[in-house]
Amino acid sequence: MNLFDLTGKVAVVTGSTKGIGKAMAEGLAEHGAKVVITSRKADLCDEVAASIKAEGGEAIAVPCNVSRKEDMDNLLAKTREAYGQIDILILNAAVNPFYGSALDIPDDAFDKTMDVNIKCNLAFCREVIPEMQARKDGAIMIVSSIGGLRGSTVLGAYCISKAADMQIVRNLTAEFGKDNIRVNCIAPGLVKTNFARALYEDPEVAAKREEATPMGRLGEGEDLAGIAVYLASKAGSWTTGQVFCIDGGVTAVGAG
Ligand code: NAP
């Protein structure tokens, strides 16, 4: 038996049409999971689900803006209708509407950051944990950031929200560990996606970040797929309440 086999498991990955979420969904599908591809854009959801199926995987597309409760309800209902249950929940979609001093962030940008990056994650957990409790099995991951582990002069609210995600996994672990529900955070370093474009598109800035990274390069979405497969599978059966920094070594040397 393969420790990483996900045959028969059903995974919902929010924000899975691009970047890290897409790479995670593809990794789970390659290991046998049925995956639900979801983001705000229906055409992209269809495209990614179709490409997974073309590679021999199993996927459906259900558009969902995670900040709309009716979208979340529809996503979970459509998943259960198609596949019966949810075994793996990856909360990956997040926003960062403000870049700058803590003194300047508008209230609405602060509220949006807390709403999407914290409250929506908890809302999804509230909806999915009861069925996992009933089966005494489930894996939940929240995609946080190494930004949640240290101070920032320009991404303050975002980093507050990512630190809160780390506390959510500890709280849920304390409450639902006895139900065999594993809840972990994945904290990426700088990954070359649209989301982080502003942080690496200037070649000088990118070179500095690469130099500060022990492995000498920035991340790609695919670098995050393995940790998702590990945490979703039997390999991660006694792993919960943790924060996994997947960052080419940046946090190990206090750099970046
Ligand atoms: P990305 O390439 O921009 O992908 C983000 C995905 O989320 C897209 O599929 C996007 O699709 C979807 N999305 C955005 N807002 C959404 C919403 N309100 N509802 C549903 N889906 C939404 O970004 P990424 O870099 O992979 O980021 C994924 C996660 O990694 C985030 O939690 C981010 O904070 C975290 N992270 C990224 C980095 C990095 O350097 N890239 C570092 C640390 C942590 P639509 O826009 O079409 O909805």
Side-chain angles (χ1 to χ4, degrees):
M1 290 300 288
N2 182 343
L3 270 180
F4 299 95
D5 184 17
L6 294 173
T7 305
K9 300 287 183 189
V10 178
V12 173
V13 184
T14 66
S16 45
T17 52
K18 294 178 204 154
I20 293 168
K22 177 171 179 264
M24 286 178 167
E26 288 169 346
L28 297 174
E30 276 169 28
H31 286 76
K34 301 169 192 168
V35 295
V36 182
I37 301 301
T38 176
S39 76
R40 289 168 298 184
K41 298 190 185 87
D43 53 342
L44 267 188
C45 293
D46 288 338
E47 214 175 276
V48 174
S51 99
I52 288 174
K53 285 164 97 169
E55 295 291 318
E58 174 56 39
I60 55 167
V62 186
C64 164
N65 179 339
V66 294
S67 64
R68 292 203 191 125
K69 180 163 184 336
E70 62 274 25
D71 283 15
M72 175 185 73
D73 291 345
N74 179 59
L75 168 63
L76 299 177
K78 289 264 161 59
T79 302
R80 289 172 176 136
E81 202 179 295
Y83 295 141
Q85 63 188 56
I86 298 160
D87 302 289
I88 301 156
L89 175 65
I90 304 188
L91 300 165
N92 166 73
V95 295
N96 177 40
F98 181 78
Y99 187 87
S101 166
L103 305 184
D104 298 331
I105 184 164
D107 279 351
D108 60 346
F110 187 89
D111 290 347
K112 186 175 180 192
T113 309
M114 301 305 142
D115 193 52
V116 175
N117 298 3
I118 305 174
K119 213 166 134 192
C120 291
N121 288 344
L122 263 178
F124 269 89
C125 291
R126 266 201 305 275
E127 293 300 322
V128 174
I129 283 175
E131 68 161 89
M132 292 179 167
Q133 274 184 299
R135 285 194 306 274
K136 292 274 181 276
D137 189 32
I140 299 175
M141 291 157 232
I142 301 181
V143 179
S144 172
S145 167
I146 61 169
L149 291 169
R150 50 207 190 170
S152 169
T153 55
V154 287
L155 296 171
Y158 173 78
C159 292
I160 292 171
S161 73
K162 294 298 185 176
D165 285 333
M166 297 176 187
Q167 185 60 29
I168 290 175
V169 310
R170 289 187 284 265
N171 292 348
L172 296 181
T173 292
E175 194 170 352
F176 303 108
K178 64 180 184 319
D179 296 311
N180 193 33
I181 302 173
R182 289 88 61 204
V183 193
N184 291 284
C185 257
I186 296 168
L190 184 53
V191 181
K192 286 158 84 179
T193 66
N194 270 341
F195 187 83
R197 193 166 290 283
L199 302 175
Y200 69 81
E201 70 186 349
D202 175 339
E204 257 179 56
V205 177
K208 265 196 198 147
R209 300 287 299 232
E210 281 163 5
E211 205 179 309
T213 304
M215 291 189 75
R217 66 172 177 88
L218 303 183
E220 303 288 342
E222 293 71 26
D223 290 316
L224 278 298
I227 187 71
V229 172
Y230 165 75
L231 290 171
S233 65
K234 199 174 163 195
S237 59
W238 205 45
T239 304
T240 192
Q242 304 304 310
V243 175
F244 292 87
C245 293
I246 308 296
D247 64 356
V250 168
T251 42
V253 297

